[in-house]
């Protein structure tokens, strides 16, 4: 007896496809802003996106034009300010900073030279810190000199400006002591491979020798202190011969003092 196959009935009927319903799209920030800035009534959600796209493009162009006008000018100024400084501009900048430093603490100069010694020590340390020691080969070549050049200029300007301040204040003893102290720090500066790169070092010697001689013209030390000072000047002559006129000046002062003491006896 053959079996009879009956068709199976579906438990759930699949509904017929319905027409698509426009979903609620999330508007962007520019669309909301354009809708608020528009003078007309709010746009219904069922309108086509063509008008929204046009408004978005117009708003983007207006915002970009508004900000580009503000940012172009500062960017041009920043590009102009990034140009490297010349040697004269660098010296003027360092000199102005030292003058500001002098105006803030003028009483330290007349009382103690410890502050000036710390200033010279700091500037000498900055010179050595700026030299790249991780390179292969010599660390006294032209590349290292260019790295240390701003700090060498700062050291020279510091010697020049502080010495002039002491001379203007008529601190003759302090001016001589400062010249000898800065002379020692100058001798500890790096000796570069290229002879022309040591010009700043010789310029420091010349400035300090001029300050020392100008102070000796007004300074009259006691005989014992004068002989000690003469010994120190002769030791400084080992580093540079520019201090020779200072030695002659002090010898003439001591000779005059000995002659006057002999006359009184």
């Amino acid at each position: 007896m053959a079996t009879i196959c009956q068709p199976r009935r579906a438990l759930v009927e699949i509904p017929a496809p319905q027409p698509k319903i426009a979903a609620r799209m999330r508007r962007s920030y520019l669309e909301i802003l354009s809708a608020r800035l528009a003078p007309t009534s709010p746009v219904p959600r069922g309108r086509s996106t063509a008008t929204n796209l046009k408004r978005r493009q117009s708003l983007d162009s207006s915002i970009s034009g508004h900000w580009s006008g503000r940012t172009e000018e500062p960017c041009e100024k920043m590009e102009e300010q990034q140009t490297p400084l010349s040697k004269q501009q660098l010296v003027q900048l360092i000199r102005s900073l030292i003058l500001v430093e002098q105006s803030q603490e003028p009483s330290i100069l007349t009382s103690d030279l410890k502050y000036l010694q710390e200033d010279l020590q700091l500037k000498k340390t900055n010179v050595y810190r700026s030299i790249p020691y991780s390179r292969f080969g010599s660390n006294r070549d032209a590349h290292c000199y260019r790295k240390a050049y701003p700090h060498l200029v700062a050291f020279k300007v510091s010697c020049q400006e502080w010495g002039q301040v002491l001379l203007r204040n008529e601190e003759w003893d302090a001016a001589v002591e400062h010249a000898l102290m800065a002379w020692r720090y100058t001798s500890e500066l790096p000796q570069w491979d290229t002879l022309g790169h040591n010009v700043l070092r010789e310029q420091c010697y010349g400035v300090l020798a001029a300050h020392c001689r100008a102070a000796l013209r007004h300074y009259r030390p006691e005989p014992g202190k004068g002989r000690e000072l003469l010994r120190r000047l002769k030791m400084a002559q080992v580093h540079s011969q520019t201090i020779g006129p200072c030695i002659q000046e002090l010898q003439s002062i001591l000779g005059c003092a000995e002659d006057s003491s002999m006359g009184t006896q």
Side-chain angles (χ1 to χ4, degrees):
M1 184 175 177
T3 57
I4 299 174
C5 294
Q6 296 181 358
R8 298 180 61 182
R9 297 179 62 183
L11 298 178
V12 179
E13 294 183 359
I14 299 175
Q18 301 291 329
K20 292 184 178 180
I21 301 174
R24 181 177 296 180
M25 302 296 293
R26 186 175 182 180
R27 295 189 297 170
S28 64
Y29 174 75
L30 295 178
E31 292 179 1
I32 298 172
L33 192 59
S34 62
R36 291 186 178 181
L37 293 177
T40 57
S41 59
V43 182
R45 297 179 181 177
R47 293 187 60 179
S48 62
T49 58
T51 56
N52 293 335
L53 182 60
K54 290 181 180 179
R55 289 186 179 180
R56 185 187 305 175
Q57 292 175 353
S58 62
L59 186 61
D60 291 341
S61 61
S62 62
I63 292 175
S64 62
H66 177 71
W67 286 105
S68 61
R70 289 187 177 183
T71 56
E72 285 178 358
E73 186 176 354
C75 291
E76 292 177 357
K77 292 182 179 179
M78 290 177 64
E79 291 177 357
E80 293 176 358
Q81 292 176 359
Q82 289 177 356
T83 55
L85 296 176
S86 62
K87 293 183 179 180
Q88 185 177 4
Q89 291 174 342
L90 182 62
V91 172
Q92 291 177 355
L93 176 62
I94 297 173
R95 182 176 287 113
S96 62
L97 294 176
I98 292 178
L99 290 176
V100 171
E101 192 175 5
Q102 292 171 1
S103 62
Q104 289 177 352
E105 300 182 5
S107 61
I108 300 178
L109 297 175
T110 57
S111 60
D112 193 5
L113 291 175
K114 185 178 179 181
Y115 175 78
L116 301 183
Q117 183 178 2
E118 292 176 353
D119 181 68
L120 290 173
Q121 177 65 35
L122 177 62
K123 287 180 170 55
K124 188 194 78 171
T125 304
N126 291 336
V127 170
Y128 280 96
R129 284 179 178 175
S130 63
I131 299 175
Y133 286 97
S134 60
R135 297 180 68 253
F136 294 101
S138 175
N139 55 5
R140 297 293 185 268
D141 56 4
H143 173 73
C144 297
Y145 171 76
R146 286 192 295 268
K147 295 290 185 180
Y149 178 77
H151 303 285
L152 291 170
V153 173
F155 183 90
K156 174 194 169 184
V157 174
S158 179
C159 294
Q160 184 175 0
E161 295 297 329
W162 288 117
Q164 290 178 357
V165 169
L166 292 172
L167 292 176
R168 284 196 300 266
N169 294 341
E170 298 182 357
E171 298 285 339
W172 312 123
D173 188 10
V176 173
E177 291 295 330
H178 174 263
L180 289 174
M181 178 179 61
W183 194 280
R184 179 172 61 86
Y185 282 103
T186 304
S187 66
E188 296 173 357
L189 291 176
Q191 191 79 19
W192 305 102
D193 296 338
T194 305
L195 187 62
H197 293 165
N198 296 312
V199 174
L200 278 174
R201 182 194 186 101
E202 297 300 325
Q203 290 176 355
C204 289
Y205 283 137
V207 167
L208 296 173
H211 291 170
C212 183
R213 189 176 182 184
L216 287 174
R217 290 172 183 173
H218 304 276
Y219 182 46
R220 293 296 179 268
E222 297 179 356
K225 190 173 183 178
R227 288 190 292 269
E228 176 64 22
L229 185 60
L230 181 61
R231 184 187 66 83
R232 293 171 62 189
L233 289 176
K234 289 181 178 180
M235 290 178 61
Q237 195 176 12
V238 176
H239 303 293
S240 177
Q241 298 296 323
T242 54
I243 206 169
C246 300
I247 296 176
Q248 297 175 2
E249 186 75 24
L250 183 58
Q251 286 176 345
S252 64
I253 293 172
L254 293 177
C256 293
E258 290 178 358
D259 293 341
S260 60
S261 63
M262 292 286 291
T264 55
Q265 291 177 359

